[in-house]
Amino acid sequence: MSSVLTILTILPIIGAAVALFAGARARALAMVTSLAALAFALWIWLSIGFSGQMAFVERSAWVPALGIEYHLGADGLGGLMLLLAALVTYMAIDASKRVTARPGLYFALVLLLESGLFGTFTALNFFHWFLFWELSLIPAFFLIKLWGGEKRGPAATQFFVYTMVGSVALLLSFVALYVATGTMDFEELTRLAAWGILPGLIQTHLGPVALWLALGVLLGFAVKVPLMPFHTWLPATYSEAPTAVTMLLTGAMSKMGVYGLLRLALPIFGHEYAQIRTPLLVLAVLTVVAGAWAAAVQKDLKRIFAYSSVNHLGYCLLAIFAVAIPSPGGSDAALNLSQTAALDGVILQMFNHGLTAAAIFWFLTFLEERSGGDLRLDSFGGLRKPAPIFCGLMGIALFSSLGLPGLNGFVSEFLIFRGAFPLAWQAATVAVLGLLITAAVILTVIQRVFLGPLPEKWIAFPDLTRGEQLAVAPVLALMLLLGLAPNLILATVNPAVMHLLAGWRF
Amino acid sequence: MNYVMPGVSFPNLFWITFPETILEVVSLVVLVVDLGFLRKRSLAFRMTAAGALGIIGCLNAIGWLAAHSAPMALGDALVSGPIVVAAQVGILALTVLVLLLSLREEFSRNPGEFVAIVLLATTGMMLVTAARDLLVIFVALELLSLSLYVLAAFAKNRAESAESALKYYLFGGTSAALMLFGFSYLYGLTGTTSLLGIASALATGVASPLLIVALVMVAAGLGFKVAAFPFHLWAPDTYQGAPAPVAALIASGSKVASFAVLVAVTSALVTTRTSAGGASWVVLLLWMAGASIVLGNLAALVQTSVRRLLAYSAIAHAGYMLLGIAAHTVQSGTAVLYYALTYAVTTVGAFGVIAIVERGVGSATLDSFAGLSRRNPLLAGAMLVFLLSLAGIPPLIGFWAKFNLFSAVLRAQTAGAWGLGMVALALGASAVSLYYYLQVLKRVYVVKPVSDEPLAVSPIELGTLLFIALAVVGMGILPGLLGQWIPLG
Amino acid sequence: MLAYTIYLSFAGALALAVLPRAGSQFARVFALLVAIAGLAVGLAGFISAGTGGAVAVADLAWIPGMGIHYTLAADGISRVLVLLTGLAAVAGILFSWTVSERTNEFFAFFLALIGGVYGVFLSVDLFLLFVFYEIAIVPKYFLIAIWGSTRREYGAMKLALYSFAGSAMVLIGLLAAYATAGAHTMDLHTLAAYPFPVSFQMWAFPLVFVGFAILAGMWPFHTWAPTGHVAAPTAASMLLAGVVMKLGAYGCLRVAMTLFPHGLDPWGFSLLGIGSWRTVFALFAVIGIVYGAAVALVQNDFKFVIGYSSVSHMGLVLLGLLTLTQIGIDGAVLQMFSHGVLAGLLFAVVGRIVYERTHTRDLNALSKLQLGRAMPFAAAVFVIAGMASMGLPGFSGFVAEIQVLIGAWYAFPWFAVVAGVGIVVGVAYTWRALQRVFFSDLPAVGPGGEDVPVPRYDPITWPEIAGVLLLAGSSLLIGVYPRLLLDVITPAVQALPHLLLTGGRP
């Protein structure tokens, strides 16, 4: 039994412990650690293979008295998330050039956060999963609280309270599941659900609470993704957090929520969600449209992209809820195809949005640095003249976010709609509005920041340095690559999705 | 006509009262030596000499008793046997300790008389323990009481000594008279003064009003001796006013003897279920016990003088012991004796410490004890042991004694109805008592002293107190030590 | 061999009492060595006994006439608690390193208290257990009255009297049991096997249970605890909350529930839904959980917050015991260990690290002192201890609390819900304290742009670091691998068959 995943998870913790005492050299140390983790995650990704099965499985008894096992594994879904987490962390560390106050603690917390992400994406037993879920919360809180903007206190508290409430709901639901079934293992619970035994077990041991448990689990993830109306913590938090931390929040942490829906909620409670599919779809569509609309009326760049994140992840939610169709009995090839496409799209969207959003906020850090912290939309204009490279590169990221074909954002959104239309055409139709509004938003940003009259103070706006260009170039190249050759990812993800779908029953 | 009681002959009498005789002889010797030869010496020397002689006498008596503990009887009047001998040895040991602690005392210009009267009091105690005839009991009790009245007044330079002695005497005289009156009724009702005879006479029959009156009056007399409610009023003042060794003696030896006689009287009055008056006697004892427990503990809570605090706590302890007597089984009787002896030893120690503090600081209020742990750590440690033992904290002997006593009460068949309730009351009151004992210990350990200079104490006194403290701890850890003579369980 | 924990402690106490003028440093080092020796013995005993059953330690006839023996033995529960005592003792001494007044007496009383506690956990003869229980009362009084702080004499006296009253109640019950069973023995197992009449058990059980529960801080007899904890010096608070309150819970389990199991049976009638002593005390326990947490939420004295939190956590322990299920009692014993360690850590932070430097415990005053920046070590430790105390997975409290909640769900479902609410309130008050004391959002940069100066405090000393590592490390170790303790506890609980009266999955 390999211990690859354990090592991957522990690596950032060790890095954090060392970085804590490294003082000014903490950033370099953190960079090295995150690059090592990235290389490792890439290797894992490449080794997963195309069978769709779980790879690198580790399994041993931990606390048998509570059905807790040490069970890890990485399939196409999990492996891709590991890669994303490593990538985004690297990007965030690189963007944290100007952390002067207590750098040791800062980078230690970032690395701890990365470890939390790795743990969550590889866990197959609830205890381990929940452990790292909570573990990622603490560093995030402190990163916001200690290095954030003016209103960081209330923002951090709000972030903490919302996520805690969601976590408690999750915990209670899973403890109840344990009481009913005697196990906390995701794969076993999925099997029980697929065979139709789970509702009966719940009924016997707890009463008619299966739907409540499903909602509890949903709440935990609804807060994290977020699903409207549980999103109210997000704008303040994304805005007050240091921008590099926002990269982590939007790039990786929000994906924990979607991942959770795919790994825990849908497999185990798909049947229950299928029964309340319509209200869920409404909320998803609301997230998409209202998220985009809210982005359109913001005046601060960080807030614009915060709401834009809500919008982009709304598509994932749309697809996920659309997939939860009560099975008509017997296999329907067309249905299966749509579901596969939708989930492929979701997973791809997770990766793409993570990459893109992190990149956009990265560019925002450059902007921030040069403007002395000011990120109001009105402050800028015509930057194309003094900083053409900056505008060009940021433009790539922005167009990817818009969904321009040829860039990675298009493929995932296409797949989502390809899958969602046959499954829930009304919802998908309304969600198209989101695409349109997002396009408007992005174009407005481009127009207001890059084009138009150039204010006096920005005449000498410094362009990107060589170092900065070299740092962002790979990421942008990846966006292009994935836009043109999405099969690089889909080749591994698609079999995994098919394997997963085969084991689910709605 | 010459009436000769069966079994009584002068040689027999002499033999059975040999230890008492030793004491009397020694007391005379002390008087002679002190008044005859040592007039010109210093007071300290005279006190030491007299005390030493007294101690030697007591030790001799102990030796004799230890060697001759086989059961024997002088007709129906006096008995001897392992338990009685144990009690008497205990009393003698207490006297030795009191004398050791008084060797350095300077309250009296008449050391010889002091020691002599102490010895006479001890004689009275021993006789009381062995007496089984009403008249002999009375005579012995009077010997004891009169000696103690005189001793209480011995500190002639303090008015409160005389006041306490007077109160003691007036109260004691009245209750002695009542007791004698009660005895006379008993004689009238049963036709005999021996306890055995009374036991068989009262074994059946109904309790007539006369008998009840007699019982009440006897209870008054004996209750006075043990300081039980409502005959306790003398105790606080006497404990406060008498010179420290005398207070120690009153609190220790006299209590042991009095409880011994209470056990004897009770076993005579309550021989069988149908003893006339037996039930009434038990009820009387229970009322006295309950009231003593409650009153003693509550009153002690508000005292500022440590002596008075000990007096009220003595009333409470008397209440506990009365419970044991009310249970009137063989085990409960031995348990009472065990409790009385261990309580007495501890109290002697406590009074010893009080005496030293009084000498050094000038008074024995709570505040006088402030910071004792800094001024004399060994003394403070000894006081800690004594007071915690009185509170009943293990592993000190006081805890043992309580446990033994209460378990004997609970196991007594006859205690079925009231046993649990009274034991619960007693244990609850014990919990309350911890408060006032801790008040003293708080001053000793927590409060800062007024002056930091060490408190002087002579080696003899310190040695005696440490010996007592070690005994309290040692017997607490290994109760079997004492259990060899006074069986446990 | 385990008996040496007792002997070493008492010998150490005696030695320190008798060597009056030995220097402070000598006293500290000596006491530390004695405590470490005790811990080592406890650990050796724990490891060598493994997961086996009861280990006989000593058996001597003491007072044969009364059937009282000096019998010591250690089953799994005792071994775990002995280990806890060792940890608390060493940590307590480390955190009392700066006691400079009457140091010998301080450590003498401390060691005497520890010796008494070891004795209780190891005794099998009930009389012996009671003796050790009472021995522990007096040192507590002096530790608080002499070296304490707020209202120390009142707090000390209240604690002593409450404890003594509780033990008086226990003694009445024990005496009655002794007398009823023929007065030949006080051996726990023999008396437990004796068929006491049910009517007898019906009054003896609540009497003895309440007597012990007073010391365990059960509502409504808990009022000594907050006053006493606040009045006590740090080491005494650590011991009081950490170990001494566990004596009460242990007594409830080992004496009250073992001797009089039928006292837990239903009465046959029910009053407002309450039909047995079991339900009554479970109700009290649950009230304690919520009440303790709610009151902690509104305290302004830092130490009072922790004091009331102890009441709340002990309520959880008692609830677990009363569920009469394998999992509930397992959880209760584990929670005893976990809370023992964590309470020690919390009091150490509040008392030793913060109070000794800032000389205030008022939350409002502390919030102005920027302790998050001035005392980063203390902040980090309190974060860890607070998270652990909230029940964060990865620390010892999580598994214990889950087990108790599951057990409570089987036995009293509504109580489980209320207890869960109490735990959530626990998150709130810990949060509040953390915010106010360490992270009160004062600006780091003043109005003119200058750095707001941070108050300087004495640096953290090595004994404090060692103590923190010991306690936090233990909690973390057990949190990550609870089987270390659970494997020892579970067989011991299984050996109490008469207690596991209810069904439900263990």
Side-chain angles (χ1 to χ4, degrees):
Chain A
M1 194 169 61
S2 72
S3 31
V4 167
L5 294 177
T6 309
I7 298 176
L8 178 67
T9 314
I10 304 241
L11 179 64
I13 298 183
I14 300 177
V18 180
L20 191 58
F21 301 105
R25 283 179 299 200
R27 179 163 175 267
L29 188 70
M31 284 285 270
V32 168
T33 313
S34 72
L35 279 170
L38 181 55
F40 207 167
L42 187 59
W43 176 78
I44 292 177
W45 167 254
L46 293 171
S47 314
I48 285 180
F50 309 112
S51 64
Q53 309 265 14
M54 277 287 171
F56 298 111
V57 175
E58 300 179 36
R59 192 168 193 165
S60 51
W62 194 354
V63 187
L66 282 179
I68 296 176
E69 280 183 308
Y70 187 72
H71 190 186
L72 304 182
D75 62 356
L77 168 62
L80 188 63
M81 290 299 107
L82 287 176
L83 195 54
L84 175 67
L87 201 50
V88 171
T89 308
Y90 157 74
M91 289 161 72
I93 292 178
D94 194 79
S96 305
K97 271 201 298 274
R98 305 229 299 170
V99 171
T100 46
R102 293 194 273 181
L105 184 60
Y106 179 90
F107 289 106
L109 288 173
V110 170
L111 287 175
L112 268 179
L113 185 56
E114 185 179 27
S115 176
L117 291 166
F118 285 158
T120 323
F121 291 136
T122 52
L124 290 174
N125 187 288
F126 180 72
F127 177 71
H128 186 78
W129 185 88
F130 192 66
L131 174 65
F132 282 94
W133 172 272
E134 296 291 286
L135 187 61
S136 65
L137 176 63
I138 313 295
F141 171 78
F142 280 108
L143 284 169
I144 301 172
K145 178 89 179 183
L146 296 177
W147 287 273
E150 258 183 42
K151 299 208 213 72
R152 60 188 189 273
T157 308
Q158 207 180 11
F159 168 71
F160 181 82
V161 171
Y162 268 75
T163 319
M164 249 315 170
V165 170
S167 303
V168 169
L170 258 175
L171 177 63
L172 285 177
S173 301
F174 265 88
V175 170
L177 269 181
Y178 167 72
V179 171
T181 62
T183 176
M184 284 206 185
D185 189 82
F186 296 157
E187 289 181 337
E188 281 174 33
L189 285 170
T190 309
R191 261 196 293 275
L192 286 174
W195 293 337
I197 302 178
L198 186 61
L201 281 175
I202 296 178
Q203 177 76 26
T204 317
H205 286 95
L206 301 166
V209 295
L211 189 58
W212 288 104
L213 295 185
L215 286 175
V217 171
L218 183 63
L219 181 64
F221 299 122
V223 172
K224 197 76 169 181
V225 177
L227 174 71
M228 283 201 177
F230 305 104
H231 70 289
T232 43
W233 60 273
L234 187 139
T237 304
Y238 277 34
S239 157
E240 295 301 323
T243 316
V245 174
T246 314
M247 288 167 70
L248 274 170
L249 286 173
T250 183
M253 283 193 79
S254 55
K255 311 303 174 289
M256 287 165 74
V258 185
Y259 174 85
L261 283 171
L262 286 175
R263 184 70 81 197
L264 281 72
L266 207 53
I268 302 176
F269 291 112
H271 179 65
E272 281 72 25
Y273 295 139
Q275 288 168 344
I276 51 169
R277 192 164 172 263
T278 314
L280 288 179
L281 283 172
V282 169
L283 287 179
V285 171
L286 183 67
T287 309
V288 168
V289 178
W293 188 259
V297 301
Q298 294 303 315
K299 294 279 179 273
D300 175 280
L301 279 167
K302 266 173 112 167
R303 284 193 173 241
I304 291 179
F305 289 107
Y307 278 108
S308 171
S309 287
V310 175
N311 158 271
H312 278 91
L313 289 173
Y315 298 121
C316 293
L317 293 172
L318 171 67
I320 290 176
F321 295 140
V323 161
I325 276 198
S327 331
S331 65
D332 183 341
L335 177 68
N336 205 1
L337 192 61
S338 304
Q339 287 177 321
T340 313
L343 290 182
D344 277 346
V346 168
I347 297 177
L348 207 53
Q349 173 78 336
M350 284 206 276
F351 188 83
N352 287 334
H353 173 259
L355 199 58
T356 310
I360 293 181
F361 277 96
W362 198 350
F363 282 110
L364 286 184
T365 64
F366 296 147
L367 202 55
E368 206 174 29
E369 237 173 86
R370 290 156 172 76
S371 74
D374 181 11
L375 280 176
R376 284 169 305 152
L377 195 55
D378 296 331
S379 313
F380 301 103
L383 291 180
R384 175 170 70 94
K385 281 220 201 59
I389 301 181
F390 170 75
C391 295
L393 294 179
M394 187 168 178
I396 297 180
L398 287 174
F399 278 116
S400 166
S401 174
L402 186 152
L404 193 71
L407 293 170
N408 58 347
F410 170 73
V411 185
S412 47
E413 285 177 4
F414 171 77
L415 277 173
I416 286 180
F417 278 99
R418 161 68 187 83
F421 255 116
L423 299 172
W425 68 268
Q426 298 106 317
T429 313
V430 181
V432 173
L433 270 177
L435 290 174
L436 297 172
I437 303 177
T438 305
V441 169
I442 304 276
L443 289 174
T444 310
V445 168
I446 292 179
Q447 200 252 328
R448 296 280 280 278
V449 176
F450 301 157
L451 307 172
L454 179 62
E456 282 289 321
K457 52 185 169 171
W458 300 136
I459 292 191
F461 193 84
D463 205 347
L464 290 185
T465 66
R466 197 112 282 242
E468 288 167 344
Q469 290 172 34
L470 281 174
V472 295
V475 175
L476 296 171
L478 192 56
M479 287 185 202
L480 264 163
L481 182 65
L482 290 177
L484 295 173
N487 212 41
L488 286 172
I489 293 188
L490 280 175
T492 314
V493 166
N494 194 40
V497 167
M498 289 202 296
H499 180 76
L500 284 175
L501 269 176
W504 294 353
R505 182 196 77 102
F506 301 116
Chain B
M1 184 172 83
N2 286 342
Y3 174 71
V4 178
M5 286 195 286
V8 176
S9 65
F10 275 112
N12 213 359
L13 173 65
F14 188 61
W15 193 243
I16 206 171
T17 57
F18 194 72
E20 286 85 343
T21 315
I22 296 179
L23 286 181
E24 283 165 14
V25 166
V26 171
S27 76
L28 291 173
V29 166
V30 165
L31 276 175
V32 164
V33 166
D34 179 70
L35 295 173
F37 299 110
L38 300 179
R39 276 288 190 83
K40 299 288 189 318
R41 300 301 201 105
S42 71
L43 215 48
F45 183 79
R46 289 170 66 188
M47 191 72 205
T48 316
L53 283 173
I55 290 172
I56 294 174
C58 289
L59 290 174
N60 270 326
I62 293 179
W64 195 94
L65 278 171
H68 298 89
S69 60
M72 52 177 140
L74 182 71
D76 287 340
L78 292 171
V79 294
S80 180
I83 302 287
V84 173
V85 161
Q88 289 179 329
V89 166
I91 291 170
L92 284 165
L94 287 166
T95 311
V96 167
L97 290 172
V98 168
L99 284 175
L100 279 171
L101 286 172
S102 62
L103 285 180
R104 285 277 168 270
E105 289 285 343
E106 289 161 5
F107 56 83
S108 165
R109 291 198 312 255
N110 310 83
E113 287 92 323
F114 177 77
V115 174
I117 302 185
V118 166
L119 291 175
L120 286 177
T122 312
T123 314
M125 292 181 218
M126 292 173 61
L127 274 177
V128 163
T129 319
R132 295 291 181 270
D133 180 283
L134 290 180
L135 284 174
V136 178
I137 290 175
F138 182 74
V139 166
L141 273 177
E142 282 303 286
L143 174 58
L144 170 60
S145 303
L146 288 170
S147 312
L148 288 179
Y149 303 152
V150 173
L151 285 173
F154 241 80
K156 285 191 263 198
N157 55 356
R158 279 166 51 223
E160 43 185 16
S161 176
E163 178 195 339
S164 74
L166 195 61
K167 280 189 186 165
Y168 194 20
Y169 169 57
L170 287 173
F171 210 95
T174 319
S175 40
L178 282 175
M179 186 169 70
L180 191 56
F181 204 17
F183 281 173
S184 69
Y185 275 14
L186 278 178
Y187 174 63
L189 285 168
T190 60
T192 166
T193 56
S194 87
L195 287 182
L196 275 179
I198 294 177
S200 56
L202 291 179
T204 53
V206 191
S208 63
L210 205 56
L211 181 57
I212 305 290
V213 169
L215 291 180
V216 171
M217 290 199 282
V218 170
L222 293 175
F224 154 76
K225 279 313 293 176
V226 302
F229 184 93
F231 313 106
H232 64 285
L233 294 165
W234 58 273
D237 291 313
T238 309
Y239 276 53
Q240 172 134 45
V246 175
L249 197 61
I250 296 176
S252 60
S254 155
K255 281 277 170 65
V256 174
S258 316
F259 273 107
V261 80
L262 250 180
V263 172
V265 167
T266 306
S267 57
L269 290 174
V270 199
T271 41
T272 70
R273 293 209 114 137
T274 54
S275 287
S280 320
W281 179 246
V282 170
V283 168
L284 261 176
L285 287 179
L286 283 179
W287 273 106
M288 284 165 62
S292 305
I293 292 174
V294 173
L295 177 94
N297 278 308
L298 287 182
L301 286 176
V302 297
Q303 299 304 319
T304 50
S305 155
V306 178
R307 281 195 183 222
R308 292 182 84 92
L309 190 147
L310 280 182
Y312 281 110
S313 100
I315 298 173
H317 284 275
Y320 304 141
M321 288 190 263
L322 282 174
L323 281 183
I325 299 194
H328 66 85
T329 59
V330 174
Q331 283 107 344
S332 71
T334 353
V336 168
L337 182 60
Y338 191 95
Y339 193 102
L341 272 174
T342 53
Y343 167 78
V345 168
T346 318
T347 309
V348 167
F351 269 103
V353 177
I354 290 178
I356 296 171
V357 169
E358 268 175 348
R359 237 191 322 190
V361 181
S363 70
T365 56
L366 279 176
D367 293 327
S368 321
F369 280 83
L372 188 60
S373 65
R374 309 218 84 154
R375 304 186 64 181
N376 195 324
L378 285 174
L379 207 60
M383 194 59 163
L384 178 77
V385 168
F386 299 145
L387 290 182
L388 290 181
S389 175
L390 287 176
I393 302 259
L396 303 170
I397 192 63
F399 171 72
W400 262 113
K402 280 205 170 94
F403 181 84
N404 192 26
L405 182 65
F406 295 143
S407 72
V409 167
L410 284 178
R411 273 154 51 206
Q413 296 278 34
T414 50
W418 53 266
L420 197 58
M422 292 304 271
V423 167
L425 175 69
L427 281 174
S430 277
V432 170
S433 76
L434 184 64
Y435 176 80
Y436 52 79
Y437 291 127
L438 275 183
Q439 288 298 328
V440 181
L441 290 175
K442 183 171 84 164
R443 304 301 191 284
V444 170
Y445 277 97
V446 181
V447 176
K448 301 247 186 313
V450 172
S451 99
D452 246 343
E453 53 171 275
L455 198 58
V457 52
S458 73
I460 292 244
E461 285 171 314
L462 190 61
T464 314
L465 289 173
L466 287 179
F467 172 75
I468 300 178
L470 279 170
V472 169
V473 175
M475 287 196 293
I477 296 180
L478 294 169
L481 282 179
L482 189 55
Q484 283 172 17
W485 295 290
I486 306 181
L488 285 172
Chain C
M1 195 234 301
L2 276 173
Y4 278 95
T5 52
I6 309 174
Y7 307 147
L8 282 171
S9 305
F10 280 122
L14 194 61
L16 278 175
V18 165
L19 308 169
R21 299 293 169 228
S24 290
Q25 188 64 9
F26 171 79
R28 292 179 195 126
V29 173
F30 182 76
L32 183 62
L33 289 175
V34 170
I36 291 179
L39 175 60
V41 170
L43 194 57
F46 182 82
I47 295 175
S48 70
T51 59
V55 169
V57 174
D59 190 352
L60 303 164
W62 190 10
I63 310 170
M66 302 188 77
I68 294 177
H69 287 244
Y70 181 79
T71 322
L72 301 175
D75 73 350
I77 300 176
S78 300
R79 295 199 291 270
V80 168
L81 292 172
V82 163
L83 200 56
L84 170 67
T85 312
L87 287 171
V90 174
I93 294 178
L94 285 171
F95 283 111
S96 310
W97 210 249
T98 53
V99 169
S100 53
E101 216 189 282
R102 300 166 74 174
T103 318
N104 317 52
E105 291 170 275
F106 181 86
F107 288 113
F109 284 126
F110 188 93
L111 287 176
L113 177 56
I114 294 288
V117 171
Y118 276 130
V120 172
F121 289 139
L122 289 172
S123 299
V124 171
D125 183 289
L126 283 175
F127 187 75
L128 184 62
L129 189 148
F130 186 79
V131 165
F132 280 122
Y133 194 76
E134 293 256 289
I135 289 181
I137 295 184
V138 172
K140 275 187 293 194
Y141 174 79
F142 286 114
L143 279 174
I144 299 178
I146 303 178
W147 290 276
S149 54
T150 315
R151 293 173 82 198
R152 55 180 185 238
E153 287 172 18
Y154 170 74
M157 186 61 84
K158 195 168 180 182
L159 184 145
L161 289 180
Y162 267 71
S163 307
F164 205 56
S167 61
M169 292 170 75
V170 168
L171 185 59
I172 296 175
L174 286 183
L175 278 175
Y178 175 66
T180 313
H184 298 307
T185 175
M186 275 292 237
D187 178 66
L188 175 67
H189 302 300
T190 320
L191 277 182
Y194 183 86
F196 291 107
V198 177
S199 54
F200 175 82
Q201 292 195 32
M202 274 299 169
W203 67 260
F205 171 76
L207 186 68
V208 177
F209 191 89
V210 171
F212 279 116
I214 291 178
L215 199 61
M218 178 171 85
W219 182 91
F221 312 106
H222 66 286
T223 48
W224 63 269
T227 322
H229 286 137
V230 169
T234 307
S237 307
M238 290 169 66
L239 278 188
L240 265 182
V243 178
V244 170
M245 285 176 100
K246 313 303 175 284
L247 280 185
Y250 179 81
C252 287
L253 176 64
R254 190 67 92 192
V255 182
M257 289 166 71
T258 307
L259 276 187
F260 312 121
H262 289 289
L264 294 158
D265 288 347
W267 294 324
F269 61 89
S270 88
L271 208 62
L272 296 175
I274 299 178
S276 65
W277 286 118
R278 179 168 168 239
T279 320
V280 171
F281 293 133
L283 181 63
F284 284 171
V286 169
I287 294 180
I289 296 174
V290 180
Y291 175 80
V295 176
L297 195 54
V298 299
Q299 291 304 313
N300 271 325
D301 180 321
F302 201 3
K303 220 171 174 186
F304 263 112
V305 174
I306 314 296
Y308 277 106
S309 102
S310 291
V311 172
S312 182
H313 280 103
M314 286 307 294
L316 206 62
V317 171
L318 289 171
L319 180 64
L321 288 179
L322 289 165
T323 59
L324 297 183
T325 57
Q326 171 82 43
I327 198 171
I329 302 183
D330 277 357
V333 178
L334 189 61
Q335 173 75 340
M336 282 199 240
F337 182 91
S338 165
H339 177 252
V341 166
L342 290 173
L345 197 54
L346 287 167
F347 275 112
V349 171
V350 173
R352 171 76 186 88
I353 301 184
V354 172
Y355 179 66
E356 263 197 51
R357 293 178 169 80
T358 61
H359 300 296
T360 174
R361 293 193 310 256
D362 179 58
L363 287 181
N364 293 320
L366 285 171
S367 68
K368 300 193 175 62
L369 293 177
Q370 304 203 57
L371 290 180
R373 295 167 62 206
M375 291 193 202
F377 181 78
V381 174
F382 193 81
V383 167
I384 294 174
M387 299 294 136
S389 161
M390 278 188 210
L392 199 70
F395 290 99
S396 46
F398 178 75
V399 175
E401 288 181 3
I402 296 293
Q403 283 183 311
V404 169
L405 283 178
I406 294 180
W409 176 264
Y410 288 132
F412 322 102
W414 279 112
F415 288 168
V417 173
V418 177
V421 170
I423 295 178
V424 174
V425 179
V427 174
Y429 67 69
T430 315
W431 188 248
R432 175 176 172 263
L434 186 67
Q435 285 270 70
R436 303 265 241 126
V437 175
F438 291 106
F439 299 112
S440 55
D441 282 344
L442 290 177
V445 176
E450 80 284 6
D451 269 336
V452 171
V454 169
R456 311 233 28 229
Y457 294 109
D458 292 337
I460 300 288
T461 60
W462 73 261
E464 289 172 298
I465 297 179
V468 164
L469 286 177
L470 184 66
L471 292 176
S474 307
S475 180
L476 187 61
L477 180 65
I478 300 301
V480 169
Y481 199 55
R483 284 185 72 178
L484 283 175
L485 293 183
L486 278 178
D487 281 352
V488 176
I489 298 173
T490 310
V493 173
Q494 273 169 352
L496 306 169
H498 55 286
L499 279 189
L500 307 179
L501 302 171
T502 55
R505 189 152 4 120

